[in-house]
Amino acid sequence: MVPKIHQAAISYPFKKNFLMNGKSNGLGLIFHSLKVFSYSLCLYFLFPIATILWHNKEVSYKLVETSALVLLCDKGVSYQTPLSKKFLSSLDTSAGESIYNCYSDYFSEISRIITNRKYITHKFCSQFLKRHGSSAQLIFLACGWDPVLIKMQELFPKNKIFGIDSQVKEPEELTKKILPISSISYLKADITDSKEWLKDLVQKGWNPSHPTGLVIEGITYYIPPSLFWKNISPLKKACSSSFSICGDFLVPLNKKYVSEKGLKMGQLIFETIKNKCQIENYYNYSQEDINERILSLGFSSLSLTNFEDVELERFGVCKNWNEKDCYLHFFSTHV
């Protein structure tokens, strides 16, 4: 007689074949027991491995439309360092596809504008950190999911990098996964309220007596000028060492500042973003206006760069493009 505990573990076919009239077929029972044992052994070793793989699987972070759109347009061109590529590969940019697909007539041109914008921004960051050494600091206002923080830390591991935005929990989480030990600090704050984030910035490790570079890429056209620029002045005044700034701005969308081609692209892009992302408005600046605003902050000079200048620097030639075709211009103070 087979004990009841063994019978419960034996499948019906084995019961039928090897348990007849209460008598067991000894050879069959041994064979089945070995089979069950081998299955148990496999589960014993494979289950922990499967658990580890499950917990360490790649997590994809879903971006909002505008953040996703910029990275879709860049196509990874600006993030070729190993860790910035890893950061980028963890991001879900599908939210930006509906807007991106609206630009089918200008895919090439828009991608060129975004990669040039990032080229000039990353150049400023690298030059600033190289010139001022390991004590130099970078602050990225409205940093979002930009992999540039990882990229700069990768290239300049001794420098402090700060990212300020209204939502930083998940970018910070991903950054720590990729680079557990780093000098990158995230700060959750309203970027239009410097009184709120200046004190917190010091607590996070920003040193006002060390050289500071402020990056305001891709945000001047979404925030009312009356709110935005008044927040730069307190930061500059708080910094007792060298202070530099770089960013970009949207020129007025009329034929005085842009060509017919630039006008069509600019209106298509910003009207689409405004409607799909429910942004109340977007804001323009002439070169004279930007120059006046930057000089009023106490800077002695300003460098203005247009699309054609960047193309010539990157490739030695600017094909099928003239100075007025681009609706974005770039600016920086001397590093």
Side-chain angles (χ1 to χ4, degrees):
M1 180 72 68
V2 180
K4 289 183 179 181
I5 190 169
H6 282 209
Q7 288 187 26
I10 300 174
S11 62
Y12 174 74
F14 279 97
K15 286 183 179 180
K16 183 178 180 181
N17 293 329
F18 304 127
L19 300 178
M20 297 173 291
N21 300 319
K23 298 179 181 179
S24 65
N25 183 325
L27 184 62
L29 182 58
I30 292 171
F31 174 78
H32 180 63
S33 298
L34 287 173
K35 191 173 181 181
V36 171
F37 176 75
S38 65
Y39 286 154
S40 301
L41 199 62
C42 287
L43 287 173
Y44 179 81
F45 287 106
L46 290 177
F47 183 75
I49 296 173
T51 303
I52 292 170
L53 290 174
W54 171 261
H55 286 293
N56 288 280
K57 67 177 182 176
E58 288 294 327
V59 177
S60 185
Y61 295 86
K62 193 173 181 65
L63 275 60
V64 297
E65 292 98 327
T66 50
S67 297
L69 176 64
V70 171
L71 294 178
L72 282 171
C73 291
D74 181 73
K75 300 177 181 177
V77 171
S78 304
Y79 305 101
Q80 291 299 308
T81 61
L83 294 183
S84 65
K85 288 173 74 173
K86 188 175 181 181
F87 188 98
L88 191 60
S89 69
S90 299
L91 305 181
D92 177 0
T93 57
S94 60
E97 290 175 359
S98 62
I99 305 177
Y100 183 70
N101 291 332
C102 293
Y103 304 155
S104 58
D105 291 340
Y106 297 106
F107 274 153
S108 175
E109 290 89 343
I110 294 170
S111 290
R112 285 169 73 184
I113 291 171
I114 293 298
T115 54
N116 281 340
R117 187 182 91 181
K118 292 199 170 293
Y119 170 83
I120 205 72
T121 301
H122 296 187
K123 176 187 173 184
F124 166 88
C125 294
S126 296
Q127 286 184 340
F128 184 83
L129 296 179
K130 284 178 182 177
R131 176 171 181 179
H132 296 287
S134 60
S135 66
Q137 310 157 108
L138 287 176
I139 300 173
F140 291 87
L141 212 54
C143 60
W145 286 94
D146 197 337
V148 68
L149 280 74
I150 283 276
K151 178 181 176 179
M152 288 301 136
Q153 183 76 128
E154 197 173 357
L155 296 174
F156 303 92
K158 294 182 179 180
N159 295 84
K160 291 181 180 178
I161 312 290
F162 300 91
I164 303 176
D165 212 329
S166 58
Q167 299 295 329
V168 296
K169 182 179 178 181
E170 288 187 319
E172 185 174 28
E173 178 183 280
L174 178 56
T175 297
K176 287 181 177 178
K177 284 182 181 179
I178 293 174
L179 202 58
I181 300 175
S182 76
S183 297
I184 299 175
S185 298
Y186 286 90
L187 178 61
K188 180 181 178 180
D190 176 359
I191 64 168
T192 64
D193 187 0
S194 58
K195 290 181 180 179
E196 175 191 337
W197 52 258
L198 258 177
K199 292 180 182 178
D200 293 336
L201 193 61
V202 174
Q203 292 178 352
K204 286 283 186 177
W206 176 65
N207 191 329
S209 65
H210 290 176
T212 300
L214 177 66
V215 180
I216 52 174
E217 179 196 351
I219 57 175
T220 59
Y221 18 91
Y222 298 125
I223 302 174
S226 58
L227 283 177
F228 183 74
W229 294 100
K230 70 178 183 180
N231 285 282
I232 307 301
S233 183
L235 178 62
K236 187 178 185 304
K237 288 178 180 178
C239 189
S240 59
S241 185
S242 175
F243 182 78
S244 298
I245 184 172
C246 84
D248 61 310
F249 62 97
L250 173 67
V251 299
L253 295 177
N254 59 56
K255 292 184 179 179
K256 178 181 177 181
Y257 295 97
V258 290
S259 65
E260 187 68 29
K261 176 182 177 180
L263 185 61
K264 287 181 179 179
M265 279 195 295
Q267 289 176 336
L268 171 64
I269 289 168
F270 284 93
E271 285 298 323
T272 304
I273 291 174
K274 180 181 174 182
N275 294 330
K276 286 187 173 288
C277 302
Q278 298 181 333
I279 293 173
E280 187 176 339
N281 209 344
Y282 53 87
Y283 304 91
N284 316 78
Y285 300 89
S286 65
Q287 291 185 1
E288 296 78 17
D289 191 17
I290 280 289
N291 190 64
E292 182 180 333
R293 289 181 182 277
I294 295 296
L295 294 182
S296 69
L297 292 172
F299 293 100
S300 58
S301 61
L302 178 71
S303 295
L304 291 170
T305 310
N306 60 37
F307 180 93
E308 189 175 12
D309 296 330
V310 183
E311 288 268 304
L312 290 171
E313 182 176 321
R314 291 181 70 192
F315 309 113
V317 64
C318 184
K319 294 181 179 179
N320 305 318
W321 204 279
N322 67 57
E323 185 180 342
K324 282 191 170 185
D325 283 346
C326 187
Y327 47 84
L328 292 185
H329 285 200
F330 317 108
F331 68 88
S332 66
T333 58
H334 293 301
V335 299

